[in-house]
Amino acid sequence: MSCCAKTSPIFHSQATTDLMNGSGPHETPTVTNFGGQSCGRDTMETPDRASSQNPSSPSLPASVARLWRPAAQRNVRNQWSKLASCRQQWANSSSSGRSHATSLVNAYLSRMYMPSMELGVLSDMPNIRTKACAKLFKQQELYRGQLLLSYKDMVAIVTHMMNSSRSMRSYVKSTSSSPLIQFSSDSEDHNDDGDGGGIPVYTFWSILKFEQLAEELVGMFVSELILKRLLVLNLSGISCEGSEVDELNWSNELYPGEFDDLRICNLYSNHDCQPVIPRLMQGKSDISALKSKSQQNRENLEVCLATWLTEVNIDALRADEIMATVGEEMHVSLS
């Protein structure tokens, strides 16, 4: 019989309830596109035919344009299918991450309350509390490793989303050995913008419009990813007590190669030599305060778990709207 069987999972405090109801520390982020410009979620409206054109792009010869459209349609459809798949993968990884985080917190709280826990007949067993604490500490290390793996998976997912959002264009491929016109995702001609001269890809939208919607969608997950990193940093610290690593700082890599991945997502500052700060923390905290702590109270841990679950940066309704609107334009289902 396990001595920690009586320990119940943590409950939602009032702070957690407020957060889940939207009255807690909820932020309504402004989506930042990959060019560094800020664009609110409500600025993206369904365009008409004229607004989807890019008049600055050089026009393609009619014969090339006729071949470009089918190639562009295939590429755009593939990239948006990848984005839809990544959304589902994110949901799975985020759910797994929260499960590991909850198990980590419960093991930590059980170990913290072990000295004062009523064990009944088990209290007569020699060194029962010491053995139980040692077992719970091993469980913490296990759940901590699983939490980091879930975070690593989410970083990889957002990296794939970024790559897809940047691969919407189809460029004319230079081939001297074949008379056939081919297209590539890599530009070989500075005069080729890869957007077919701004002509509609399917019905109304040019490549530019597909890119704008992709930026808005991916921007939600980019913002949420860096907040997830803050939560992972906070939760990982509670299992470091008594281990060789006593403290994790914001400037530390959470896994080998993390910073290279974050650079792809525009989440690493080369100027500061560390990941960018979540908007939730900007202007409210000194960077030196962003570090893990081995001792945390129950309420703070509950807020961390609730924040993970809520995903304050991802507007699910808007994301669904984007996918439905894009699917309607392409005459496919992206759900």
Side-chain angles (χ1 to χ4, degrees):
M1 179 176 179
S2 175
C3 62
C4 57
K6 295 183 179 181
T7 302
S8 60
I10 66 172
F11 54 87
H12 290 304
S13 66
Q14 183 60 42
T16 307
T17 303
D18 291 342
L19 180 61
M20 299 296 289
N21 292 334
S23 58
H26 179 92
E27 62 169 342
T28 303
T30 299
V31 178
T32 302
N33 66 26
F34 307 142
Q37 296 179 346
S38 176
C39 56
R41 287 176 181 157
D42 296 334
T43 63
M44 300 299 298
E45 299 177 355
T46 302
D48 55 21
R49 185 189 303 265
S51 64
S52 64
Q53 304 300 315
N54 186 5
S56 62
S57 300
S59 299
L60 291 178
S63 58
V64 177
R66 282 195 298 269
L67 297 175
W68 177 87
R69 285 194 70 190
Q73 289 173 357
R74 288 192 298 270
N75 181 53
V76 169
R77 183 169 58 248
N78 289 339
Q79 300 308 329
W80 275 98
S81 295
K82 291 178 183 179
L83 289 175
S85 177
C86 285
R87 274 192 74 195
Q88 184 58 50
Q89 293 174 25
W90 171 278
N92 295 336
S93 295
S94 181
S95 177
S96 297
R98 185 180 186 275
S99 177
H100 299 323
T102 301
S103 298
L104 171 61
V105 168
N106 284 334
Y108 167 76
L109 293 177
S110 296
R111 187 164 65 92
M112 186 174 66
Y113 295 141
M114 182 58 63
S116 60
M117 188 179 298
E118 177 58 46
L119 301 180
V121 295
L122 296 178
S123 59
D124 295 332
M125 297 178 63
N127 301 321
I128 181 62
R129 297 182 191 275
T130 301
K131 293 179 180 178
C133 286
K135 183 176 181 179
L136 289 169
F137 182 78
K138 290 181 179 179
Q139 289 180 353
Q140 283 182 239
E141 291 298 305
L142 173 64
Y143 296 137
R144 175 179 177 270
Q146 292 174 336
L147 177 61
L148 285 174
L149 285 177
S150 293
Y151 166 71
K152 184 177 180 180
D153 289 342
M154 286 187 283
V155 174
I157 291 168
V158 175
T159 299
H160 291 320
M161 295 180 80
M162 289 287 290
N163 290 335
S164 292
S165 68
R166 294 167 173 170
S167 303
M168 298 283 174
R169 301 190 174 225
S170 297
Y171 301 92
V172 177
K173 185 177 182 180
S174 301
T175 55
S176 57
S177 59
S178 174
L180 299 177
I181 298 177
Q182 300 179 6
F183 299 91
S184 169
S185 58
D186 299 321
S187 176
E188 299 180 359
D189 184 355
H190 294 298
N191 295 322
D192 182 8
D193 291 333
D195 63 351
I199 65 175
V201 180
Y202 285 89
T203 306
F204 300 116
W205 296 357
S206 68
I207 286 290
L208 179 62
K209 181 58 187 179
F210 284 104
E211 288 179 328
Q212 288 173 340
L213 290 176
E215 288 176 1
E216 181 182 357
L217 177 68
V218 177
M220 300 180 193
F221 292 88
V222 170
S223 297
E224 184 62 26
L225 178 64
I226 202 63
L227 180 57
K228 286 285 197 290
R229 186 182 196 272
L230 177 63
L231 298 176
V232 170
L233 179 74
N234 199 39
L235 292 171
S236 295
I238 63 176
S239 65
C240 291
E241 183 182 7
S243 62
E244 295 182 0
V245 180
D246 294 326
E247 188 176 78
L248 292 172
N249 295 307
W250 183 253
S251 57
N252 297 141
E253 277 193 330
L254 299 185
Y255 64 85
E258 180 200 12
F259 289 168
D260 291 335
D261 295 336
L262 293 181
R263 283 189 181 93
I264 298 176
C265 303
N266 291 339
L267 289 175
Y268 187 86
S269 171
N270 290 321
H271 178 267
D272 297 327
C273 298
Q274 62 188 3
V276 300
I277 307 300
R279 277 195 301 272
L280 189 69
M281 304 293 293
Q282 288 178 357
K284 299 180 181 180
S285 175
D286 181 59
I287 184 61
S288 61
L290 294 179
K291 59 181 64 176
S292 63
K293 299 178 181 178
S294 60
Q295 296 291 331
Q296 298 206 37
N297 61 48
R298 186 189 189 105
E299 186 178 43
N300 287 343
L301 295 174
E302 289 175 353
V303 171
C304 284
L305 295 181
T307 303
W308 187 291
L309 174 64
T310 306
E311 298 201 322
V312 296
N313 292 293
I314 299 177
D315 186 340
L317 293 178
R318 176 57 181 157
D320 290 340
E321 180 185 6
I322 290 174
M323 301 303 289
T325 306
V326 171
E328 181 180 356
E329 170 70 12
M330 297 191 300
H331 308 290
V332 298
S333 175
L334 295 175
S335 56

